[in-house]
Amino acid sequence: MTGSVSHLDRPSFADQVAAVEAIEVAQRVIAHGTRRAALSVSTVETVAMAHRLVALETLAAITFDMLAQCQSAADVDPAQRDQLRLVTIQHIGDVGAQLEALGYVAAPSTTEASTEN
């Protein structure tokens, strides 16, 4: 019966994955640069790195799309600029949300910091 109690105390797989610092694991593997270092990575760490990779790929795709739209802004009819502006604002929000999901936190703006003093 004690086996089932210890099983209940174990964090879920998702919680274990969320607790991994995927970038640190990847840096450790790269720093050692050996097959042994790569093989020493646990399944939980591998899944955490996969999640991070997919999130970064999503961020790269959103950012690329936003930059491509901004680059084409010079060729846009003035009547379409407002629509392009709205799409760009949406993309900026999407990039911000992806960065926050990756653990990046926006620093307070200088105007906020100066009003708090």
Side-chain angles (χ1 to χ4, degrees):
M1 194 70 142
T2 58
S4 61
V5 171
S6 65
H7 176 69
L8 295 176
D9 293 336
R10 183 193 290 167
S12 70
F13 185 74
D15 289 341
Q16 291 176 45
V17 169
V20 171
E21 293 293 335
I23 297 300
E24 290 177 12
V25 174
Q27 288 172 332
R28 185 180 71 229
V29 170
I30 291 167
H32 289 99
T34 64
R35 180 183 175 122
R36 175 174 278 179
L39 292 174
S40 71
V41 175
S42 72
T43 301
V44 171
E45 291 171 322
T46 301
V47 172
M49 288 189 295
H51 278 281
R52 185 74 177 206
L53 176 63
V54 169
L56 290 170
E57 177 63 25
T58 301
L59 177 61
I62 292 169
T63 303
F64 180 82
D65 189 40
M66 180 179 65
L67 293 173
Q69 288 182 354
C70 289
Q71 185 176 15
S72 67
D75 301 329
V76 171
D77 180 304
Q80 294 177 325
R81 284 200 181 121
D82 285 341
Q83 181 62 30
L84 179 62
R85 183 176 152 284
L86 293 174
V87 170
T88 301
I89 290 169
Q90 178 64 46
H91 276 77
I92 291 169
D94 292 345
V95 168
Q98 285 289 326
L99 288 170
E100 285 182 16
L102 288 168
Y104 294 90
V105 179
S109 70
T110 55
T111 55
E112 288 177 16
S114 63
T115 58
E116 291 177 3
N117 292 334

